[in-house]
Each structure stands twice: as C-alpha cells, then as structure tokens.
Amino acid sequence: MTAAPAWQQGLARNLSQRPVLIVHGNIRDRYVDATDDYPHLRSLLTSRLQGCARSAQLPSSVRIYDWVRGQRLWAHEGSDPPKVGNGPAGGIEGLAVDLQMISDWLVGGEGDGPVAMAKTAIIDYSDLLVPYQQSYDDNQRLLLIRLEKLLGNVQLPHHVVLLALEDSWLPPHLYTQAPAVATLRIPLPEERERKLFLQRWLQGSSLASWQPTSELQDAVVRMTSGLYLREFADVAGKMGAESVGGEEHAREVLIEWRTGRRVSPWAEIETKRLQNVDKVLSGQMPDAHGGVVGQEEAIRRVSESLVIARAGLTGLATSHEQKPKMVFVFAGPTGVGKTELARQIAEFVFGDKDAIIRFDMSEYKGEFTVSRLLGAPPGYVGHEQGGQLTTQVNERPFSILLFDEIEKGDERILDVFLQILDDGRLTDSRGQTVFFGETAVIFTTNVGARNIEHERPVFDRIMRELSGEPEACKREVRRHFQRCVERFFSDEIGRPELFNRLRGNVVPFNPIVEDDVRIKIASQSLAVMEAQFAERNRERQLSLSIDRALAPFLLTGWAACVNAICDRRVLLDADAAVEVDNGDLTCPACGSAVELPQAPASGDEGGSGRAGFGGRGVADDIEAALSFELALALLEREHLPGPGTLMVGLGARGTGGTAVVDVVWQDGP
C-alpha cells in the first residue's frame, strides 16, 4: 500500500495526541490518500476523525462551523438531517453566541461520567473571525478570551480544528506556549499524491477513450510539479479530451494551459538558425541589427545552451522539468556587452529585444526588499498587488529575466534565486505559483572590478602588464573574474550552495582591448543613431547618414575650440592621445587652440590606457561628440519642407590628429 503523504501522517499523529489543531496552507484543494479521494479538506478531516474515534471505540460526530452560516453548523455524519438554526446574531455579539454554543456542545453536560461520543467542531475561516492585529477593542478582546477558553477546555477524545490560510493571521496567543494546540501546514501536492490522484481520476473519468500508459502517467506527474490537485484535474481533463498519447503532446497541453500558447518559442527555433547562432549574436549576419563584439567565448557558451534548450534537454540530470531554459552569470567590467548579449538572446529566441524583465539589484538593498519581488506579507500595505517578479513572469512567461549587478542586492534575495534554480517555480505572497520553465535567467555582476582588495588593483595590473598581448590579457582577465565570483559567493557572503548551482554557468567577459573591436562597436553605435534619428523624424521624412570613417576619431573623444565665434567640437584621433599631454592641439576650422578634455572618454573600468570603452560607454561618448552638431543642423531645417538626409563625415583636419565634423543636408529621400 502506498504510504500516506508526510503531512497526512502528521495529521493522524496530531489528532491522536492534541485536542486542538490549527490547519493552514493548502486548505482549499482536493486531496487523496491510499483508499479514497476527497473533494475538500472537511471530508478528509471527517474521515480521519472518525478513524480516531474508532480507535477509542467511540461513535463520532463532526460538525462544521463558519460564521456566515452561524448556527447552521451541524453537518451530521450519518442519516440524521442537518440541524438548522436561526443563523448568526450578527457582529461580535453573534460570534460570542456561536462560540458559547460550540463550547456547550463540546464540553457541556459531560459531567464526570464516561464519554459517550467523540465530538469535533471544525471552525472554517478562523483567520477571519478576529484576525491578528496590533490591538483589539473591548468586544474583540472578550471574543478572543471566549475562543481561548474554548480551546483550553476541550479535551480528548473531543477536538476543535481551526482552518486558516496562514497560521500567522491568527492571534499568536492562541497557539503560543499552548501544549494542547498543534499546528499543521499542508504543502502543495507532492509527486506521490499527484500520481495517486491521476490513477483515481482515470478510474472515475468519463473519458474512457484516454488510456495513457504507465510511462506517460509518470511523465505527466513529473511535469506538473507545483500544481494544486484542482489544477492537476483541469490539466488532466484537457489531456484526456485530446487523447494525449505521448510525452511531447502532453507537454504542449501543459504549456498551453500555463501560458495560453501551444508551442514554446524555445521549441520553435529553427535548427538551421542554430547552426549560425554565434554569427547572429555577434552581428555577423547580413541582416543583423547590432550584435555583441569581442566576446567570442561568452557567445560560444550561450550558443551551446541554446542548442540544449532547443533539444529539450535542460535539467536532464535532475527530476525538475520546469527549471529555467538557461541560467548564466555574466561577469565583467561595465560596458563590455553583458546586457547587450541578453538582448540579443531575447531577439534570437522570442523575436523581440524587449522580451526582457530587468531588475536593477541596487534597488533591492534593504532588508525587506524581498517582499517587492514576491509581494508584501498578508496584512502589509501592497499585499494585494503581488510581487514585481512573480507578477511580471506570470504576465510574460516567455522572457529573459535579467538581474543586473546581483552583488548589490540584499543577501536574502539569494534564497529566492536558489528556489528558482532548484525548482523552477515560486509561490508569491498571495499563494499563487509562478513557473519559470519558459524563461532564461541571467545575472550580471561587476565582481572582479570593484574598488576593493583582490579585485580592482589586480584587474588594473593585468590590463597594464599585458596591454601588448591581447589574447593573454583576455585570458587572464577571464580567470580573474571567475576567481572573484567564486570568492564572492563562497567567502564574502557565505553562500557556497548557490555558487554550486551556478559554478558551471559563470561566463567571464573579455575586456575591450583591440582597436578593431572598438571600431566595430563604434560603428554599431553610429547605426543605432541613424535608426533613432529616422524614427524620431519619420513624419518630416528626414534621415541621417554617418560616415563610418568617424569611428576611429570617436574612440578617443572630443575637445572644445576656445574660439567663441568658431564654437566647434574637435574630434581627437587615436594619435592625439600623445598630443593631449603636450597641449599642442588646434581646431582645424579656425586654427585656434582647443580646450583639452577634463578626462578621457568614458570607457571600460581599467581600460587599456587609452580612452577605450565598451558598448555602454561608446554610445554615451558618440552622443556627446555629435549631438550638438546634429541638433544645430536639424534646427536650421526646422521650417524647410520636403524630405532630406543629413550627411555627416570628417571635415578639415588639424595638427596632432584632430578633425572637425562636416554636416551637410542633402535634399530628397
């Protein structure tokens, strides 16, 4: 015979030892054991209580009470019809009358003689009678005294069972230091319960044509982890209606039930596209719109995981099928393409770069910020709104979850991530289970480049000593970040169990050290500027065309001409880095000196010594260098009709590798 679930064994033990039991958690579901299935918890409790009474060789009477029905609580087991009273008297006074009625029935009239019957009162919605609060008025306090007195007076073989969604919603003095009171939490159905329920459901189902094999039954049970039995029955009904005959078909039905979509986008990735995924992510395909440059190792790791996800082999070594499709820790300095690679993955899988749910973990530093992800606890402000993470995943189950700068979040949030990685699901503050099996989870971190011992000084030393050996430099930097991430999880925050789940998924990013890579990044940023300009001026039919020869100059940055009449921004070629120190730069347009930049162009932390930068820095620097010239030209054409193209290229050149931007309007599309 199949052993009863652990919580049911705890239920039988507590009923045999304690006269008062508080049952909370999954109390609104269906239930099953080795002999029967039960449509609600009251029927299961009645069965167990009758078993206790038989063990004591006594007849049993179980009566259900809820305040809405008041004295119509007596639901007799047996042939006697229910006794119907006049309903509640109303308010606190009515509750007091009802509690006295229950007390009289349970403990009144017994005297010192032998007990003739085992009586049980099941009080439903007990957490709503007088819910826990900081203070009570006199009437509420009197009611609580009556309830506590009732719980203190009942003795075995009689019982009082309180049903509550959460035991914490009850006033704690009802169960704190109360030896007669036991609490029992009912969890979500475990695998043995789902399997037994499916077998019983099949026996009683009207869908006689659906006769799944034992192997298919096991697969259905395995893939429905985290479902209530009521939900499980709904899913089984849909599978039976379609006469599901295979595991893949069953999975499609389950995905549709959860997401409203029949086939997961992960399963729709064309195998031909997978053959070129590295080229797609790096922007090397003819129709590519951007891409991640200079991160071949990171792209290779992501490409391999995409192949595994497409084949449906994610989590193959575990029993959880609903684990995220991919999990990565992208580690590296700011601006090397970590976020951009996440966007490229979203576009590759979902056809939308914005299919990302992004969380800046610097906003989750506080002790109570976990509640923002999962929802505020019951009784707190915002409880009804749910959590930011669970709500958004429920709304967009097919997405990339991006947790930026994970090291800045509160350590308690790591427990949330541990559950996602292990089980692929979370239960929010409202008791709703959210599944992560159709997501990819990406953490980014700057650990390794922080200004602390063993990180930034070591990083700078590697960049300095190996500046002339790009491949050796990148290799040592990747090793450095791998070591720092491991030290962070294992030593700094003391969470080796989380690192154990992430160890094989840490992807260190290369520093941007080669000039040709920097020029490619700059060229991509220029393309983004052209697209944005055309989008914002679509109605006026204006477009922008930027000569890519500007890219090498933009890598170094710009300086301001000191001639107020000229008022030009002077671009600096890479060779100008030496001249900046000598102060010999001149404006090519007027010959005047230029005001030297206060600092190098924004770039990678610990760059190569020149003003190099990654994807984020390049966009900012190019915008700073060109936006003023573009704005002046656009304002000049503000009142002119007709389409036009703003042609931007290199103009006159001056000493020390300087140049000015040439901006010319060309009429026509």
Side-chain angles (χ1 to χ4, degrees):
M1 180 181 294
T2 304
W7 73 267
Q8 291 191 24
Q9 297 177 36
L11 173 64
R13 182 175 61 255
N14 286 323
L15 289 176
S16 67
Q17 298 174 354
R18 310 286 182 89
V20 180
L21 180 61
I22 298 173
V23 183
H24 60 104
N26 181 24
I27 63 171
R28 302 281 184 255
D29 204 1
R30 297 173 64 169
Y31 308 90
V32 66
D33 61 17
T35 60
D36 204 352
D37 60 282
Y38 307 90
H40 44 68
L41 183 58
R42 297 188 302 273
S43 59
L44 173 63
L45 288 172
T46 299
S47 174
R48 295 295 183 273
L49 289 161
Q50 289 175 337
C52 287
R54 284 194 297 270
S55 298
Q57 298 182 341
L58 290 172
S60 172
S61 178
V62 180
R63 301 183 176 184
I64 314 297
Y65 172 78
D66 71 68
W67 181 77
V68 174
R69 295 188 298 165
Q71 293 181 36
R72 291 176 294 175
L73 67 95
W74 311 128
H76 285 279
E77 296 297 328
S79 58
D80 293 339
K83 175 182 178 182
V84 179
N86 297 321
I92 293 292
E93 295 80 5
L95 286 173
V97 170
D98 290 346
L99 288 180
Q100 186 61 52
M101 175 186 60
I102 295 173
S103 180
D104 290 344
W105 177 69
L106 278 173
V107 301
E110 293 286 352
D112 296 326
V115 175
M117 177 180 291
K119 303 176 182 178
T120 299
I122 299 176
I123 302 179
D124 206 353
Y125 309 103
S126 60
D127 46 344
L128 299 179
L129 296 181
V130 185
Y132 171 69
Q133 55 198 55
Q134 293 296 325
S135 61
Y136 302 93
D137 60 32
D138 291 341
N139 288 331
Q140 292 173 325
R141 191 175 298 109
L142 179 61
L143 181 65
L144 288 175
I145 292 174
R146 288 180 179 272
L147 179 56
E148 189 170 0
K149 185 176 181 180
L150 166 62
L151 301 185
N153 287 339
V154 65
Q155 297 181 13
L156 293 175
H158 307 312
H159 291 91
V160 172
V161 180
L162 305 180
L163 303 185
L165 288 175
E166 294 291 343
D167 59 344
S168 59
W169 294 2
L170 290 167
H173 63 265
L174 294 179
Y175 52 84
T176 302
Q177 296 186 6
V181 181
T183 61
L184 175 70
R185 180 172 184 82
I186 302 179
L188 288 172
E190 57 187 35
E191 184 169 318
R192 78 174 76 176
E193 290 178 86
R194 298 196 305 277
K195 184 172 184 178
L196 187 57
F197 181 82
L198 177 60
Q199 293 171 347
R200 293 192 174 281
W201 184 87
L202 288 171
Q203 293 173 3
S205 174
S206 60
L207 301 169
S209 60
W210 190 42
Q211 298 294 328
T213 63
S214 59
E215 291 80 5
L216 180 56
Q217 292 181 37
D218 291 340
V220 170
V221 168
R222 188 174 60 252
M223 69 179 64
T224 51
S225 175
L227 294 188
Y228 296 99
L229 289 186
R230 291 189 182 278
E231 297 173 325
F232 186 81
D234 189 22
V235 172
K238 294 182 182 300
M239 291 182 180
E242 295 191 22
S243 297
V244 167
E247 184 174 344
E248 199 60 38
H249 191 183
R251 187 174 287 105
E252 289 179 1
V253 173
L254 179 61
I255 291 174
E256 184 178 26
W257 180 83
R258 282 177 173 163
T259 67
R261 181 166 175 169
R262 185 72 174 189
V263 181
S264 167
W266 298 92
E268 292 181 322
I269 301 175
E270 297 179 359
T271 53
K272 291 184 178 179
R273 289 186 67 214
L274 282 175
Q275 296 174 358
N276 296 312
V277 60
D278 55 340
K279 295 181 179 179
V280 174
L281 298 179
S282 59
Q284 299 179 42
M285 299 299 288
D287 57 345
H289 300 286
V292 179
V293 181
Q295 304 297 343
E296 294 78 10
E297 285 297 314
I299 289 175
R300 180 186 61 81
R301 296 279 298 278
V302 169
S303 301
E304 291 175 354
S305 288
L306 283 170
V307 172
I308 294 171
R310 171 61 179 85
L313 299 182
T314 302
L316 189 62
T318 66
S319 60
H320 297 291
E321 289 203 3
Q322 288 305 310
K323 297 180 71 172
K325 298 294 186 184
M326 299 192 304
V327 177
F328 285 114
V329 179
F330 288 170
T334 299
V336 293
K338 301 188 295 291
T339 300
E340 178 60 25
L341 183 52
R343 289 170 58 84
Q344 291 295 328
I345 296 171
E347 183 173 36
F348 183 84
V349 178
F350 307 119
D352 182 6
K353 277 190 176 183
D354 295 325
I356 291 181
I357 302 175
R358 183 176 180 271
F359 296 91
D360 186 343
M361 299 313 295
S362 64
E363 300 177 3
Y364 296 86
K365 292 181 179 180
E367 181 179 353
F368 300 103
T369 52
V370 176
S371 63
R372 293 175 56 191
L373 290 177
L374 303 184
Y380 286 80
V381 175
H383 164 66
E384 69 285 351
Q385 299 176 0
Q388 295 175 350
L389 171 59
T390 50
T391 298
Q392 291 191 67
V393 172
N394 193 44
E395 293 173 352
R396 300 187 67 176
F398 303 106
S399 57
I400 306 295
L401 297 180
L402 181 63
F403 299 95
D404 264 338
E405 299 184 292
I406 183 62
E407 73 276 6
K408 295 183 178 179
D410 188 88
E411 294 180 18
R412 295 168 183 82
I413 293 178
L414 300 180
D415 294 325
V416 174
F417 298 145
L418 193 61
Q419 187 174 351
I420 293 175
L421 301 181
D422 277 350
D423 301 332
R425 68 174 187 264
L426 283 177
T427 302
D428 66 11
S429 61
R430 296 178 294 185
Q432 303 298 313
T433 302
V434 180
F435 298 91
F436 292 78
E438 302 299 327
T439 68
V441 178
I442 297 176
F443 307 104
T444 73
T445 179
N446 292 326
V447 167
R450 296 179 297 174
N451 194 23
I452 62 175
E453 187 181 5
H454 304 305
E455 290 195 14
R456 183 59 179 269
V458 175
F459 179 41
D460 287 343
R461 178 178 56 78
I462 295 173
M463 298 294 294
R464 182 174 59 253
E465 294 179 356
L466 298 176
S467 60
E469 305 175 56
E471 291 304 318
C473 179
K474 291 188 292 186
R475 184 171 57 252
E476 286 303 313
V477 166
R478 291 198 300 268
R479 291 174 178 173
H480 167 71
F481 277 95
Q482 181 80 35
R483 289 192 298 266
C484 289
V485 170
E486 181 174 1
R487 185 185 299 116
F488 171 76
F489 283 105
S490 299
D491 300 335
E492 186 173 334
I493 64 173
R495 301 302 298 271
E497 73 280 6
L498 182 58
F499 181 74
N500 188 49
R501 271 77 167 181
L502 298 171
R503 181 179 57 228
N505 304 92
V506 177
V507 179
F509 275 55
N510 294 323
I512 307 299
V513 293
E514 296 113 321
D515 287 340
D516 60 335
V517 173
R518 298 176 186 278
I519 292 174
K520 288 180 182 178
I521 295 174
S523 298
Q524 287 184 353
S525 297
L526 294 177
V528 171
M529 290 187 68
E530 291 174 339
Q532 287 293 315
F533 185 95
E535 178 66 24
R536 298 185 186 187
N537 294 278
R538 180 186 301 174
E539 293 185 2
R540 299 173 62 187
Q541 297 183 337
L542 301 179
S543 60
L544 175 66
S545 177
I546 305 176
D547 188 350
R548 296 303 186 263
L550 281 171
F553 286 84
L554 294 168
L555 287 171
T556 308
W558 59 275
C561 178
V562 298
N563 188 331
I565 298 176
C566 178
D567 194 23
R568 298 296 297 272
R569 295 193 174 182
V570 181
L571 300 182
L572 307 177
D573 195 352
D575 295 335
V578 178
E579 301 295 338
V580 167
D581 295 333
N582 299 330
D584 294 334
L585 300 180
T586 60
C587 173
C590 67
S592 302
V594 298
E595 182 179 344
L596 300 182
Q598 297 297 314
S602 60
D604 292 343
E605 300 178 28
S608 62
R610 284 211 312 264
F613 43 82
R616 185 181 305 174
V618 70
D620 294 340
D621 287 343
I622 288 179
E623 182 177 347
L626 297 182
S627 59
F628 180 69
E629 305 282 356
L630 299 181
L632 289 177
L634 188 61
L635 291 175
E636 289 176 0
R637 197 181 176 87
E638 187 171 22
H639 300 294
L640 295 179
T645 301
L646 186 57
M647 311 295 294
V648 180
L650 282 175
R653 302 195 182 194
T655 61
T658 60
V660 292
V661 179
D662 211 6
V663 179
V664 180
W665 278 107
Q666 177 179 296
D667 291 331

XYZ file of all heavy atoms in Angstrom, residues 106 250 377-378 390 411 418 555:
59
model
N -19.477 20.846 22.985
C -18.262 20.061 23.142
C -18.033 19.604 24.577
O -17.699 18.441 24.834
C -17.039 20.862 22.671
C -16.741 20.901 21.173
C -15.610 21.866 20.894
C -16.375 19.514 20.660
N 1.664 15.861 -24.367
C 1.258 16.245 -23.014
C 1.910 17.555 -22.595
O 1.277 18.415 -21.969
C 1.614 15.131 -22.029
N 3.907 40.617 2.736
C 3.196 39.613 3.545
C 1.760 40.057 3.817
O 1.439 41.244 3.758
C 4.018 39.562 4.848
C 5.350 40.140 4.493
C 5.093 41.152 3.422
N 0.888 39.108 4.102
C -0.506 39.449 4.412
C -0.585 40.459 5.547
O 0.131 40.363 6.541
C -1.124 38.100 4.821
C -0.268 37.081 4.137
C 1.113 37.648 4.125
N 7.144 37.949 -9.574
C 6.136 36.922 -9.861
C 5.025 37.450 -10.765
O 4.552 36.735 -11.652
C 5.535 36.399 -8.550
O 5.120 37.516 -7.725
C 6.570 35.599 -7.767
N 21.199 39.993 0.642
C 21.534 38.565 0.607
C 20.302 37.675 0.717
O 20.312 36.534 0.243
C 22.513 38.246 1.734
C 23.878 38.903 1.564
C 24.829 38.568 2.694
O 24.549 37.582 3.404
O 25.829 39.272 2.876
N 17.709 30.763 -5.349
C 18.003 29.352 -5.117
C 16.785 28.499 -5.430
O 16.897 27.421 -6.027
C 18.452 29.155 -3.669
C 19.102 27.814 -3.321
C 20.363 27.603 -4.142
C 19.424 27.753 -1.834
N 36.538 57.159 -30.998
C 37.063 56.304 -29.937
C 37.855 57.101 -28.916
O 37.945 56.728 -27.753
C 37.954 55.214 -30.539
C 37.228 54.091 -31.282
C 38.228 53.217 -32.004
C 36.405 53.264 -30.320
